[in-house]
């Protein structure tokens, strides 16, 4: 038997290599560098890796029209696709990875130690935990973990076949399960979150894998191009295809937190260290939506009429459930979690707005463009919002309970104002980026004739406005009950402040001049097979 | 020109938070005075009767077909003038309103002015929508931050209603994009949309979205409930900005967008809209009569007035439209005067309840006179400007159907009751015990106010008589409004000259209705108000 050497497009895949390389290097650092120097080395390494990968992504992106067929190439023996959407999503994920690394590196809020457990293996409340905490131990493994997750996230939407997609799903998920359980404070809650996330996540991965098998049974191939050909030619065994689509959807919709697979979201968002929540809520959603777009548009695009009704129902349910349940929360992290579920619904509204190019007018906005733009603005608003949550603290650390935030606007007008800005953006108020994003996804859905979904989306937006506005009112117009302890804002180091500032500026700028980013999202063109 | 007009208050709003708190008020008044100057300059450059002017157009978001496009026509220039006049007046009259946090108060005020001006100047539907919604943010913080007890809930209610309307409008705005992109290049420019060939069914649906949003904004009968709560809890100055400037966006939008883009659907909806308008006229007036809170009362009178304006718009005659435009200006002036004078009274008495005032006429004859002029203007006394517009709208209503006119006329009778009865209860009769000055309203510190006054009538009277009359600053603030009320009562021609060509153009070219322009009604039978 001959062994054929695989061709690897090293230049085009450089961003992926950098991220995985740095992640592996991080593990080595963990083993060989002295404990007191590890933090600095790990942070610089991770930051340098992300920045380097971002630079490589930009280079790849600029050369894209000279690559392969002119719009990118299917590389690594068909398993990785480097095209416009991939590159855009890589850039986006890397930007939020940098934000994540910055938030991870914050040590001033906890008076010199990071927000992660001193020794994850020590039982909560045990002697070992106290010892780890008095010694000021800190886990620096979080940096290699986050780099592995970033690598998985970049591979996920860029995968060219189902098997690569599954591997990427696992590579991105496993580090996240771990990171969720590493909180320094409220450790039981954090570990519970990690366990729930892991069990449900493993279950959904099982569904995904089963779907892979069924679709393989239908198409006789794992690669998206071949599946597309089979769907177009229409072979027998459509049952296999439909069941396969359903199973794959379970796995992907779980990752984005769509109803009815949303149950893990509030618990995990609440229990995980807030820095992890910030990174995860933005980057995972971007990666998973990238994968959803690729799978549905590329592999199952020709079978649109079969999956669109399912998407309609799921989008409607997701928006309503997210918005309604967010109204009854009393914990800001849980509220943001439900709000993220509602945003998943809005994003799905954009996904189901897909139309063939022939149905669109010149310069009319496309579904892909709308979803990519929405992911961008949502990411900035959500990272910023969670970063603000890390600042509001009382004696027990972060104070996510609503009562503690009462009257924050009077005590710290700037922080409360910035948080309001993020909330207003999520609510979709004009002159913030969230409005343009909403406008874009609603428009593509309306153009494709999904007006019932748009009407529900608008109704959910009204409900969502209620809980966002209520929170602003709580911060600015409510005086705290004198019996209640209130939280105050701790001044963070530059890492967190710069992250919040960048998110706030982007939120305003993209609300006023969204043109350049929309054009960029338009230039990414289409997926290639 | 228009960009500068919008930018001046906007820059003011952005700069004020970084200046020392002590200077905030003077700088804000200076900025708004400068804006007034610019507004007047724009008005002098405006050439009566030649359509959209002072236009600016820059592509803003290409992939949405959105332009940053400004321009004013007859309707726009009147609304711009109203806004630039009212803002400095409110700041001058509400001298103490923002004392707790002057920087944020004046910054939000200027932001509100800038965004309102942008709304009235926008000639791109998307731009209009953006600033239309954005006005809510300063309004929300003004209501929620500076009113009295319960303002947080009122502010939230206000915002929820407005945003709900805004999101319904969003659906229609998106629908317009879809229709426009089906017919080639998507565009949001008003001029392109007016030429758009919208199918009857789609046009009606889109019209409903626009109309619902504007009905909430204006407000009209079933969706008015935010109005009274908001005016009650907000400070009088903020209420003026909301009712006299912001709410005009509702009727402005009906004229500009409902009639301009969906003429067919507007005529289709006329029976329903006219019914709602008539209900608003009568219901608003009836409810106003029953109010004990003076700010709530004034707020509800506006419901009645917006009924008149909407009626004028939807009877589809030049008389009606021109009268409605005039009504928008006059209502702005008259109601602003009422709110501000009521605000003076409240700051003296420390209460907003009419039943706790009384017998003020002797102590404060000037205030009483100001209140009377404003009140008589509100009830449409001939010789004061609102009469002219009310007359035109009623003529048009009788032309449309006699029974509509008949119902609408009862609104005038009811207006006489609520105005005169309010005046009687506040200014005549025996004085009431003065409630603590700090009670309820934000600004304490007027001498003469103390909760411990005796309960006998003589003791009370002596207390009431110590109440100071209007200060020169207060008189100066409302003087422009009073002058305008009398001036336009006798010489409405300048206003009509601006509104008539607009109304004719709108109705004949867009809607396709032919009739004659209104003449100036005879003003010689008018009596002076005071």
């Amino acid at each position: 038997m001959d062994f054929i050497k695989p061709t690897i497009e090293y230049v085009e895949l450089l961003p992926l290599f950098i991220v995985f390389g740095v992640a592996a290097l991080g593990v080595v650092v963990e083993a060989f560098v002295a404990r007191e120097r590890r933090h600095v080395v790990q942070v610089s390494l991770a930051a340098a890796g992300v920045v380097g990968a971002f630079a490589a992504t930009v280079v790849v992106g600029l050369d894209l029209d000279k690559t392969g067929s002119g719009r990118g190439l299917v590389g690594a023996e068909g398993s990785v696709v480097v095209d416009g959407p991939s590159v855009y999503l890589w850039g986006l994920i890397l930007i939020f990875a940098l934000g994540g690394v910055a938030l991870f590196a914050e040590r001033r809020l906890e008076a010199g130690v990071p927000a992660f457990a001193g020794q994850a293996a020590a039982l909560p409340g045990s002697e070992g935990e106290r010892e780890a905490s008095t010694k000021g131990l800190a886990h620096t493994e979080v940096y290699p973990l986050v780099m592995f997750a970033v690598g998985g996230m970049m591979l996920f939407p860029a995968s060219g076949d189902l098997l690569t997609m599954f591997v990427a799903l696992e590579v991105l998920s496993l580090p996240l399960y771990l990171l969720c359980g590493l909180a320094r404070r409220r450790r039981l809650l954090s570990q519970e979150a990690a366990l729930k996330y892991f069990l449900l996540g493993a279950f959904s991965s099982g569904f995904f894998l089963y779907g892979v098998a069924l679709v393989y049974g239908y198409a006789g191939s794992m690669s998206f191009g071949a599946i597309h050909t089979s769907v177009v030619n229409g072979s027998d065994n459509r049952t296999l295809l439909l069941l396969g689509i359903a199973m794959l959807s379970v796995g992907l919709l779980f990752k984005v937190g769509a109803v009815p697979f949303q149950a893990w979201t509030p618990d995990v968002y609440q229990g995980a260290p807030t820095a992890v929540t910030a990174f995860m809520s933005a980057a995972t959603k971007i990666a998973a939506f990238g994968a959803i777009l690729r799978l549905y548009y590329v592999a199952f695009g020709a079978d649109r009429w079969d999956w669109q009704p399912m998407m309609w129902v799921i989008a409607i349910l997701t928006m309503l459930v997210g918005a309604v349940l967010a109204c009854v929360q009393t914990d800001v992290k849980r509220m943001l979690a439900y709000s993220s579920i509602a945003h998943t619904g809005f994003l799905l509204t954009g996904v189901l707005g897909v139309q063939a190019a022939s149905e669109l007018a010149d310069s009319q906005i496309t579904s892909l463009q709308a979803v990519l733009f929405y992911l961008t603005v949502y990411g900035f608003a959500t990272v910023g919002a969670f970063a603000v949550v890390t600042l509001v603290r009382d004696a027990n650390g972060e104070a996510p309970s609503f009562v503690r935030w009462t009257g924050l606007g009077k005590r710290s007008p700037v922080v409360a104002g910035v948080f309001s800005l993020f909330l207003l953006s999520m609510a979709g108020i004009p002159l913030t980026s969230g409005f343009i994003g909403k406008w874009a996804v609603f428009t593509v859905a309306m153009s494709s004739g999904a007006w019932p979904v748009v009407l529900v989306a608008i109704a959910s937006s009204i409900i969502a406005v209620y809980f966002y506005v209520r929170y602003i009112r709580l911060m600015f117009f409510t005086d705290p009950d004198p019996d209640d302890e209130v939280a105050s804002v701790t001044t963070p180091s530059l890492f967190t402040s710069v992250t919040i500032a960048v998110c706030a500026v982007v939120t305003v700028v993209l609300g006023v001049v969204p043109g350049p980013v929309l054009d960029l999202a338009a230039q990414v063109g289409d997926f290639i097979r | 020109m228009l960009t500068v007009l919008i930018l001046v208050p906007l820059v003011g709003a952005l700069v004020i938070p970084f200046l020392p708190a002590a200077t905030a008020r003077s700088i804000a008044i200076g900025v708004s005075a400068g804006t007034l100057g610019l507004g007047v300059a724009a008005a002098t450059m405006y050439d009566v009767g030649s359509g959209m002017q002072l236009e600016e157009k820059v592509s803003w978001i290409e992939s949405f077909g959105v332009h940053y496009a400004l321009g004013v026509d007859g309707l726009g220039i009147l609304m711009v003038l109203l806004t630039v006049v009212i803002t400095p007046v409110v700041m001058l009259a509400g001298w103490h309103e923002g004392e707790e946090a002057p920087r944020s108060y004046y910054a939000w005020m200027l932001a509100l002015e800038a965004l309102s001006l942008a709304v009235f100047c926008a000639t791109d539907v998307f731009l209009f929508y953006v600033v239309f919604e954005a006005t809510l943010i300063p309004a929300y913080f003004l209501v929620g931050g500076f009113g009295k007890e319960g303002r947080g809930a009122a502010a939230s209610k206000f915002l929820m209603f407005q945003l709900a309307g805004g999101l319904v409008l969003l659906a229609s705005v998106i629908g317009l994009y879809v229709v426009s992109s089906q017919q080639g290049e998507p565009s949001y420019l008003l001029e392109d949309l007016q030429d758009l060939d919208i199918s009857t069914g789609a046009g009606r649906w889109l019209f409903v979205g626009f109309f619902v949003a504007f009905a909430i904004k204006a407000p009209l009968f079933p969706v008015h409930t935010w109005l009274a709560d908001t005016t009650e809890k907000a400070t009088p100055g903020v209420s003026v900005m909301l009712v006299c400037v912001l709410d005009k966006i509702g009727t402005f939008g009906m004229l500009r967008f409902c009639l301009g883009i969906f003429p067919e659907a507007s005529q289709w909806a006329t029976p329903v809209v006219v019914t709602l308008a008539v209900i608003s006229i009568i219901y608003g007036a009836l409810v106003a009569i029953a109010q004990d809170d003076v700010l709530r009362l004034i707020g509800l009178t506006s419901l009645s007035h917006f009924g008149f304006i909407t009626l004028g718009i939807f009877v589809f005659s030049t008389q009606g439209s021109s009268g409605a435009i005039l009504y928008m200006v006059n209502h702005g002036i008259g109601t602003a005067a009422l709110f501000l004078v009521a605000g003076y009274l409240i700051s003296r008495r420390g209460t907003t309840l009419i039943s706790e005032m009384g017998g003020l006429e002797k102590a404060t004859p000037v205030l009483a006179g100001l209140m009377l002029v404003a009140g008589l203007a509100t009830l449409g006394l001939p010789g004061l400007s609102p009469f002219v517009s009310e007359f035109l709208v009623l003529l048009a209503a009788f032309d449309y159907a006699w029974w509509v006119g008949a119902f609408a006329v009862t609104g005038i009778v009811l207006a006489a009751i609520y105005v005169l009865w309010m005046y009687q209860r506040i200014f005549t009769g025996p004085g009431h015990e003065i409630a603590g000055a700090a009670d309820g309203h934000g600004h304490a510190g007027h001498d003469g106010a103390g909760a411990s006054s005796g309960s006998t009538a003589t003791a009370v009277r002596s207390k009431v008589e110590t109440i100071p009359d209007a200060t020169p600053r207060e008189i100066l603030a409302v003087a422009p409004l009073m002058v305008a009320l009398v001036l336009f009562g006798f010489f409405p021609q300048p206003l009509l000259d601006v509104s008539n060509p607009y109304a004719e153009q709108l109705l004949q070219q867009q809607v396709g209705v032919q009739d004659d322009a209104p003449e100036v009604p005879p003003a010689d039978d008018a009596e002076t108000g005071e």
Side-chain angles (χ1 to χ4, degrees):
Chain A
M1 181 184 162
D2 288 334
F3 184 83
I4 303 162
K5 182 170 161 280
T7 2
I8 303 288
E9 290 76 1
Y10 288 99
V11 177
E12 284 77 20
L13 299 178
L14 193 59
L16 279 174
F17 288 122
I18 294 177
V19 170
F20 281 121
V22 165
L25 205 58
V27 177
V28 177
V29 167
E30 202 57 36
F32 291 105
V33 175
R35 171 174 286 151
E36 52 275 14
R37 265 176 294 160
R38 256 186 236 159
H39 180 82
V40 180
V41 174
Q42 289 283 27
V43 172
S44 344
L45 188 62
V50 171
V51 172
F54 186 77
T57 306
V58 172
V59 171
V60 173
L62 291 177
D63 286 347
L64 205 58
D65 48 0
K66 297 192 226 59
T67 319
S69 60
R71 291 187 297 133
L73 56 82
V74 182
E77 298 294 323
S79 57
V80 182
V81 185
V82 186
D83 55 8
S86 296
V87 173
Y88 186 94
L89 290 164
W90 285 357
L92 212 51
I93 291 167
L94 286 167
I95 288 172
F96 294 118
L98 192 60
V101 169
L103 292 179
F104 282 20
E106 174 66 54
R107 286 199 294 182
R108 194 156 153 197
L109 291 172
E110 288 278 5
V113 285
F116 299 100
Q119 195 175 12
L123 288 176
S126 69
E127 193 59 41
E129 184 190 39
R130 261 191 296 283
E131 200 184 326
S133 136
T134 34
K135 276 192 191 161
L137 295 186
H139 271 298
T140 42
E141 291 91 337
V142 293
Y143 301 102
L145 284 176
V146 80
M147 291 310 281
F148 275 118
V150 169
M153 287 167 180
M154 290 168 66
L155 187 57
F156 200 28
S159 35
D161 60 46
L162 285 169
L163 216 50
T164 312
M165 194 172 252
F166 178 73
V167 171
L169 174 67
E170 292 303 296
V171 171
L172 87 86
S173 302
L174 287 170
L176 286 181
Y177 300 147
L178 263 177
L179 286 170
C180 285
L182 288 181
R184 176 173 286 272
R185 312 244 190 185
R186 297 189 186 87
R187 288 189 58 201
L188 284 176
L189 205 61
S190 167
Q191 293 179 355
E192 181 196 331
L195 188 66
K196 271 187 185 160
Y197 194 20
F198 170 67
L199 284 180
L200 292 173
F203 206 53
S204 78
S205 296
F207 272 98
F208 188 89
L209 203 53
Y210 196 10
V212 172
L214 291 177
V215 171
Y216 180 76
Y218 169 79
S221 166
M222 293 279 185
S223 100
F224 294 151
I227 296 172
H228 171 75
T229 319
S230 306
V231 172
V232 170
N233 295 337
S235 72
D236 314 333
N237 282 334
R238 279 187 53 82
T239 327
L240 274 185
L241 173 69
L242 294 182
L243 277 177
I245 293 180
M247 297 286 179
L248 290 172
S249 306
V250 172
L252 290 171
L253 292 173
F254 174 85
K255 275 291 150 205
V256 296
V259 175
F261 314 108
Q262 90 293 6
W264 59 276
T265 317
D267 288 345
V268 173
Y269 278 27
Q270 183 188 19
T274 309
V276 174
T277 313
F279 166 71
M280 175 171 84
S281 58
T284 313
K285 202 152 274 188
I286 292 166
F289 265 102
I292 286 182
L293 289 170
R294 183 172 299 279
L295 188 65
Y296 285 97
Y297 290 8
V298 176
F300 305 132
D303 198 29
R304 219 162 65 218
W305 304 115
D306 279 325
W307 58 261
Q308 258 175 344
M310 172 192 82
M311 279 294 186
W312 277 42
V313 175
I314 288 180
I316 286 175
L317 282 177
T318 307
M319 287 183 286
L320 284 178
V321 168
V324 170
L325 290 185
C327 293
V328 295
Q329 300 307 314
T330 54
D331 181 294
V332 62
K333 283 170 84 177
R334 286 184 86 84
M335 182 189 87
L336 289 174
Y338 279 107
S339 118
S340 95
I341 295 174
H343 283 285
T344 299
F346 296 138
L347 279 159
L348 287 174
T349 309
V351 172
L352 57 83
V354 61
Q355 278 177 297
S358 55
E359 298 171 75
L360 291 167
D362 290 347
S363 80
Q364 194 178 348
I365 182 166
T366 65
S367 163
L368 179 66
Q369 191 186 353
V371 174
L372 290 182
F373 185 79
Y374 199 106
L375 284 170
T376 314
V377 301
Y378 169 77
F380 279 105
T382 196
V383 168
F386 278 113
V388 174
V389 171
T390 63
L391 307 184
V392 181
R393 311 173 80 90
D394 59 15
N396 297 320
E398 281 166 24
S401 142
F402 277 18
V403 187
R404 302 272 190 275
W405 286 64
T406 315
L408 191 74
K410 297 219 171 65
R411 301 195 292 279
S412 316
V414 176
V415 170
V418 170
F419 194 64
S420 307
L421 172 71
F422 293 132
L423 291 184
L424 288 174
S425 173
M426 291 188 202
I429 307 290
L431 297 182
T432 61
S433 57
F435 165 69
I436 308 280
K438 253 187 190 156
W439 191 93
V441 293
F442 291 179
T443 302
V444 294
M446 190 87 115
S447 302
S448 78
W451 58 267
V453 184
V454 175
L455 291 189
V456 175
I458 281 176
S460 328
S461 303
I462 297 174
I463 301 172
V465 163
Y466 167 74
F467 65 82
Y468 292 125
V469 167
R470 192 184 52 169
Y471 210 76
I472 296 176
R473 181 178 149 200
L474 179 85
M475 287 193 293
F476 282 96
F477 307 144
T478 313
D479 292 321
D481 192 333
D483 300 337
D484 284 331
E485 195 193 341
V486 288
S488 58
V489 169
T490 312
T491 314
S493 67
L494 270 181
F495 287 121
T496 307
S497 346
V498 170
T499 309
I500 295 175
V502 168
C503 290
V505 168
V506 171
T507 301
V508 174
V509 168
L510 286 187
V512 181
V513 261
V517 175
L518 275 170
D519 290 345
L520 191 66
Q523 275 169 18
V524 304
D526 222 335
F527 291 108
I528 62 169
R529 298 190 169 90
Chain B
M1 180 71 207
L2 296 176
T3 305
V4 178
L5 181 69
I6 296 166
L7 273 184
V8 167
L10 194 63
V11 169
L14 292 177
V15 168
I16 282 179
F18 301 101
L19 298 175
T23 59
R25 177 158 60 199
S26 32
I27 290 178
I29 291 179
V31 170
S32 65
T35 316
L36 172 62
L38 284 170
V40 172
T44 54
M45 286 157 74
Y46 179 80
D47 175 23
V48 170
S50 48
M52 204 56 90
Q53 292 167 44
L54 303 173
E55 284 186 279
E56 295 167 35
K57 189 159 79 183
V58 186
S59 179
W60 178 21
I61 310 173
E62 216 158 324
S63 46
F64 293 1
V66 170
H67 292 80
Y68 172 80
L70 301 179
V72 284
D73 47 18
L75 176 63
I77 194 76
L78 287 177
M79 291 298 110
V80 165
L81 282 177
L82 182 67
T83 311
V84 294
V85 170
I86 295 270
T87 312
V89 165
V90 165
M91 287 186 186
L92 200 58
W95 197 254
H96 301 288
E97 277 186 1
E99 269 177 350
E100 294 156 45
R103 281 181 294 196
S104 60
Y105 177 80
Y106 289 105
W108 286 129
M109 274 297 210
L110 288 177
L112 188 57
E113 180 183 20
L115 292 169
S116 307
L117 288 172
V119 168
F120 293 129
C121 294
T123 54
D124 180 286
V125 175
F126 189 91
L127 176 66
F128 169 82
Y129 181 79
V130 166
V131 282
F132 172 79
E133 289 278 274
T135 52
L136 299 177
I137 299 170
Y140 175 71
F141 280 97
L142 281 171
V143 176
F146 298 96
K148 59 183 177 188
E149 200 61 31
R151 59 190 191 226
S156 294
K157 188 173 181 183
F158 163 77
L159 193 62
M160 285 307 297
F161 263 89
Q162 302 289 335
L163 282 176
L167 285 164
V168 176
L169 179 58
L170 178 63
S172 281
V173 171
I174 290 175
L176 268 182
Y177 176 87
V178 174
V179 174
S180 138
S181 59
Q182 277 165 358
Q183 299 181 10
E185 195 90 339
S187 165
Y188 266 128
L189 282 178
L190 196 59
E191 60 206 47
D192 294 344
L193 291 176
Q194 281 172 342
D195 302 334
L196 207 58
D197 181 23
I198 305 174
S199 71
T200 313
R204 287 177 182 176
W205 278 111
L206 297 177
F207 166 83
V208 169
F210 273 85
F211 182 77
V212 167
F214 294 141
I216 291 178
K217 193 89 196 173
L220 279 189
F221 163 60
V223 284
H224 65 277
T225 57
W226 61 270
L227 175 73
D229 287 351
T230 310
T231 54
E232 181 187 342
K233 304 296 182 197
T235 64
V238 172
S239 295
V240 172
M241 291 304 281
L242 291 185
V243 174
C244 302
V245 178
L246 268 193
D247 287 359
K248 293 296 180 313
I249 299 170
T251 44
F252 170 84
M254 288 180 200
L255 276 166
R256 167 91 34 104
F257 300 108
C258 290
L259 267 60
I261 305 179
F262 315 106
E264 192 276 338
S266 303
Q267 279 171 309
W268 161 75
T270 301
V272 178
V273 177
V274 166
T275 314
L276 289 179
V278 171
I279 294 177
S280 300
I281 293 173
I282 297 174
Y283 177 80
L286 283 176
V287 179
I289 292 174
Q291 296 305 315
D292 191 29
D293 187 300
V294 60
L295 292 176
R296 225 180 145 82
L297 188 151
I298 302 172
L300 284 165
T301 65
S302 295
L303 174 58
S304 187
H305 291 304
F306 278 108
F308 272 110
I309 300 175
T310 312
L311 183 63
I313 295 171
F314 276 86
V315 293
F316 289 100
S317 64
T318 314
Q319 250 173 6
S321 300
S322 197
I325 296 169
L326 223 57
Y327 208 130
M328 286 160 73
V329 177
N330 293 332
H331 167 263
I333 301 170
T335 307
L338 260 187
F339 264 124
L340 295 177
V341 178
Y344 297 162
L345 284 175
I346 292 163
S347 68
R348 286 172 169 67
R349 292 302 309 255
T351 175
T352 57
L353 297 182
I354 295 174
S355 55
E356 290 181 11
M357 300 187 188
L360 280 174
E361 202 168 38
K362 276 192 197 124
T364 60
V366 180
L367 275 182
L370 292 174
M371 188 66 144
L372 194 60
V373 176
L376 292 175
T378 300
L379 66 79
L381 190 78
L384 295 171
S385 62
F387 167 73
V388 183
S389 43
E390 215 157 72
F391 189 71
L392 284 174
V393 170
L394 283 173
L395 278 182
F398 274 110
D399 254 3
Y400 174 74
W402 68 267
W403 54 271
V404 169
F407 275 122
V409 164
T410 57
I412 295 190
V413 180
L414 294 172
I417 299 178
Y418 62 66
V419 167
L420 295 176
W421 198 38
M422 171 185 80
Y423 181 84
Q424 182 191 343
R425 284 183 293 167
I426 293 179
F427 288 103
T428 64
H432 283 261
E433 188 177 341
I434 297 172
D439 174 11
H441 206 65
H443 22 97
H446 279 282
D447 6 5
S452 59
S453 55
S455 55
T456 61
T458 47
V460 168
R461 183 152 307 128
S462 69
K463 277 290 189 191
V464 167
E465 275 157 10
T466 59
I467 291 179
D469 204 348
T471 63
R473 191 249 321 152
E474 288 172 332
I475 296 173
L476 178 69
V478 291
L481 304 179
M482 297 294 166
V483 171
L485 283 178
V486 177
L487 185 69
F488 292 131
F490 284 99
F491 306 106
Q493 198 56 49
L495 295 182
L496 280 172
D497 281 345
V498 181
S499 67
N500 272 340
Y502 171 78
E504 269 170 47
Q505 197 264 346
L506 175 75
L507 286 173
Q508 289 170 11
Q509 291 182 15
Q510 285 304 317
V511 186
V513 177
Q514 294 288 336
D515 62 0
D516 299 325
E519 298 296 312
V520 184
D524 45 39
D525 63 339
E527 301 156 25
T528 43
E530 175 63 23

